[in-house]
Amino acid sequence: MAKLCMTERELKRRKMVEKYKGKRLALNEVIKNANSTIEEKAEARSKLQALPKNSSPVRLRNRCALTGRPRGVYSKFGIARSKLRDLMLSGEVPGITKASW
């Protein structure tokens, strides 16, 4: 089980990414636009750097919905491999059975 502060920090980051998503997208468009002047691009870069670090989507981490474990998380289920195995063995995940031959 992950520390509660780690999962709370991740939720805080997700909220911040959503909050600054539009602003970040607009600044990136100005930077990538071929018709923008050098001054406009420089200003957009400085505004982009002035945004909070945690507003960048790169800083997000996939975590298990049940335990908060950061590694071994299946994106299809959103659950860590160990908990997914437990759920599958107990028959709570439909369509998945233990292989035997």
Side-chain angles (χ1 to χ4, degrees):
M1 192 84 179
K3 289 182 181 179
L4 182 63
C5 65
M6 299 304 277
T7 55
E8 292 296 321
R9 186 183 302 164
E10 191 63 31
L11 290 174
K12 187 177 173 183
R13 281 185 183 146
R14 288 192 186 279
K15 288 178 187 174
M16 195 170 284
V17 166
E18 282 299 314
K19 181 179 177 182
Y20 288 99
K21 189 175 188 177
K23 191 178 285 190
R24 188 172 285 277
L25 195 71
L27 291 172
N28 279 327
E29 282 182 18
V30 171
I31 292 170
K32 292 178 183 177
N33 190 359
N35 297 330
S36 297
T37 63
I38 296 172
E39 292 82 20
E40 289 174 341
K41 288 182 180 184
E43 184 181 345
R45 266 191 220 102
S46 65
K47 285 183 181 178
L48 190 64
Q49 289 175 350
L51 292 178
K53 283 184 185 179
N54 285 334
S55 68
S56 175
V58 174
R59 293 177 69 96
L60 293 178
R61 178 86 178 172
N62 288 336
R63 289 191 174 269
C64 175
L66 301 176
T67 61
R69 180 181 165 88
R71 298 181 182 196
V73 178
Y74 283 87
S75 58
K76 184 177 182 179
F77 301 102
I79 300 173
R81 59 183 173 76
S82 57
K83 285 296 175 181
L84 183 62
R85 184 173 189 268
D86 293 341
L87 291 173
M88 286 189 290
L89 289 175
S90 64
E92 294 181 27
V93 180
I96 298 177
T97 57
K98 189 170 188 277
S100 59
W101 58 89

